[in-house]
Amino acid sequence: MKILVLNCGSSSVKYKLFNMDTHEVLAQGGVEKLGLPGSFLKFTQPDGTKVILEKELPEHNAAIEFILSVLTDDQYGCIKSFNEIDAVGHRVVHGGEAFSSSVEITSEVIGKMVECIDLAPLHNPPNLKGIRAMSALIPGIRQVGVFDTAFHQTMPDYAYMYGLPYSLYKKYGIRRYGFHGTSHRYVSKRACEILGVPYEEQKIITAHVGNGGSIAAVKNGKSVDTSMGLTPVEGLLMGTRCGDVDAGALTFIMDKEKLDAKGLSDLINKQSGVQGLSGISSDMREIEAAVAEGDKRAIMALNIYNYRIKKYIGAYAAAMGGCDILVWTGGVGENQWATRRVVCENMEFMGMKIDVQKNDGMRGEEMVISTPDSKVTIIVVPTDEEYMIASDTMDILGK
């Protein structure tokens, strides 16, 4: 069974084509600068070489049609015709309360996704464009929506409700939803597979940290809390997002800086976080380089970044009554060993001991990095959201 996975953003379309019978990635790449001058398709060939094909791609239909043409191309392709694609799995950012699991796309599902646009105005519209483009290009193709928020729909009300008037929840759905759910679900399950322990009997904290980041508490196979909220702004310090901040500070800033809602959204989403604090970059590699040179603001930004992660890990251990496994994933979690070490140091009081020799210098591998006598197993698991989407698609359509 060949499944195409699409992740459609406002100015990009990422894709992976899987042969699920052999668990092989047949093709992967993405369109960048969609709708902008100089748009291009970049992909990796089976031998590892990267190819860039420039083409003016004004919208999602054109981008996906170009991707399909390359997949069937005599020189670069891996399939002979579109008909070899059995199904398409789509990453959908926000499913609100309507979706607690992945679902086959129907007109009713599309209607509910449209209703969620207010909750994710930047993300859900391009996700929908991808679904409609595939329906137009390959009529009758079966499609599945895999929602970032679905895994966290098992959170209890005391974890997802804000202390705001209940009427706002009933009118607008104002509550905590959480994101990165597909990643948290994949790495928590995969960690248990690696360790040979039953998923439904573990207290797991998953740290998906990178330019965007969130922590999740997974108890007995279900998400019981996560650090992101109504939007991806809440929680950890991120590349350009502020994370947790006093709402009163925001109204104060709006008044002083004469900001409207759009201006405030731009401030907390695009001008804050590591970039806003350091004045250097949102890229943690550049922050680490500045720290090595003694830059005081970079040191402060990295300390805040690491501290927020440590604080959430401690909070979720308390919420679950302990922790059996801590999983690191995401761009920073998989590669930035210094952050893993700093966060896990001085956590012996909760049974967490990191093996510095195993951890330091280790990047992008599945590896246990705790000491043999650590009561909490600390493990790095590179995430694979695309495979999770393909797997869900196969499971749903195989029923």
Side-chain angles (χ1 to χ4, degrees):
M1 191 175 190
K2 293 186 179 71
I3 294 176
L4 178 64
V5 173
L6 289 180
N7 180 357
C8 296
S10 57
S11 61
S12 66
V13 178
K14 298 175 185 175
Y15 71 92
K16 261 191 186 183
L17 181 63
F18 290 88
N19 182 338
M20 295 303 288
D21 297 329
T22 60
H23 300 284
E24 180 186 5
V25 177
L26 300 176
Q28 62 181 317
V31 167
E32 297 181 32
K33 301 183 74 174
L34 176 62
L36 301 169
S39 54
F40 61 91
L41 171 62
K42 182 178 180 180
F43 58 93
T44 305
Q45 292 186 285
D47 64 1
T49 58
K50 296 193 185 319
V51 178
I52 295 177
L53 302 176
E54 295 184 8
K55 184 180 175 71
E56 290 305 310
L57 300 166
E59 40 72 40
H60 288 77
N61 260 56
I64 293 172
E65 187 172 16
F66 188 41
I67 289 168
L68 292 174
S69 72
V70 171
L71 289 175
T72 54
D73 183 76
D74 289 339
Q75 181 179 358
Y76 298 118
C78 57
I79 55 175
K80 292 183 178 179
S81 76
F82 296 172
N83 295 332
E84 288 187 44
I85 300 173
D86 294 294
V88 183
H90 294 267
R91 180 200 179 205
V92 183
V93 168
H94 218 305
E97 291 186 321
F99 303 104
S100 59
S101 62
S102 304
V103 293
E104 184 167 4
I105 301 295
T106 63
S107 57
E108 183 184 0
V109 167
I110 288 174
K112 289 181 179 178
M113 287 172 60
V114 170
E115 291 173 11
C116 291
I117 285 176
D118 276 355
L119 296 172
L122 299 177
H123 297 96
N124 274 28
N127 298 159
L128 283 160
K129 286 177 182 177
I131 291 167
R132 289 168 175 148
M134 285 305 311
S135 295
L137 293 166
I138 310 179
I141 187 85
R142 296 181 75 184
Q143 303 185 72
V144 166
V146 180
F147 301 87
D148 273 13
T149 51
F151 182 56
H152 302 304
Q153 280 295 298
T154 50
M155 286 193 293
D157 56 5
Y158 57 78
Y160 69 69
M161 287 296 292
Y162 289 116
L164 296 167
Y166 191 74
S167 58
L168 294 175
Y169 165 65
K170 297 303 289 183
K171 283 171 71 176
Y172 307 116
I174 305 297
R175 51 157 284 183
R176 303 180 65 251
Y177 291 97
F179 299 89
H180 297 138
T182 307
S183 176
H184 288 296
R185 180 161 58 103
Y186 172 80
V187 299
S188 58
K189 283 187 173 180
R190 179 62 188 147
C192 291
E193 289 173 4
I194 295 166
L195 299 173
V197 296
Y199 183 53
E200 294 77 13
E201 298 174 15
Q202 307 302 310
K203 297 171 182 175
I204 306 169
I205 297 172
T206 47
H208 176 115
V209 289
N211 198 275
S214 63
I215 310 287
V218 183
K219 187 175 184 180
N220 302 334
K222 294 181 178 180
S223 173
V224 294
D225 207 346
T226 190
S227 57
M228 284 181 168
L230 174 73
T231 75
V233 175
E234 189 178 356
L236 305 177
L237 190 75
M238 299 172 233
T240 60
R241 296 186 190 124
C242 61
D244 291 338
V245 64
D246 178 3
L250 300 181
T251 56
F252 181 87
I253 292 166
M254 288 181 79
D255 181 55
K256 292 293 185 183
E257 296 289 320
K258 309 300 181 205
L259 295 177
D260 59 11
K262 186 178 182 303
L264 182 67
S265 177
D266 191 63
L267 176 74
I268 62 177
N269 277 290
K270 298 178 181 178
Q271 299 175 31
S272 298
V274 171
Q275 180 172 291
L277 285 168
S278 70
I280 296 169
S281 173
S282 63
D283 190 315
M284 295 303 291
R285 291 167 294 192
E286 293 183 35
I287 296 300
E288 280 199 312
V291 167
E293 293 173 3
D295 186 285
K296 289 184 179 179
R297 280 175 61 184
I299 292 168
M300 176 186 70
L302 185 58
N303 285 342
I304 295 169
Y305 184 91
N306 293 340
Y307 176 74
R308 290 271 183 97
I309 298 170
K310 183 189 283 277
K311 188 165 71 168
Y312 267 98
I313 288 171
Y316 288 164
M320 292 191 292
C323 175
D324 300 310
I325 305 167
L326 169 64
V327 186
W328 287 97
T329 195
V332 170
E334 295 167 25
N335 299 296
Q336 195 161 304
W337 53 265
T339 282
R340 296 194 303 255
R341 186 185 66 198
V342 169
V343 170
C344 293
E345 278 179 340
N346 303 316
M347 298 281 265
E348 291 86 358
F349 71 92
M350 59 174 279
M352 187 180 294
K353 295 182 182 179
I354 189 166
D355 187 323
V356 174
Q357 286 188 319
K358 283 185 179 178
N359 173 71
D360 288 12
M362 197 283 285
R363 301 177 187 272
E365 295 179 46
E366 291 184 341
M367 184 181 289
V368 173
I369 56 170
S370 49
T371 61
D373 63 336
S374 178
K375 292 179 181 177
V376 177
T377 301
I378 310 168
I379 186 170
V380 178
V381 180
T383 193
D384 196 340
E385 293 170 273
E386 294 87 358
Y387 178 78
M388 197 86 243
I389 293 170
S391 180
D392 277 11
T393 301
M394 186 176 73
D395 289 346
I396 288 169
L397 300 186
K399 288 177 181 176

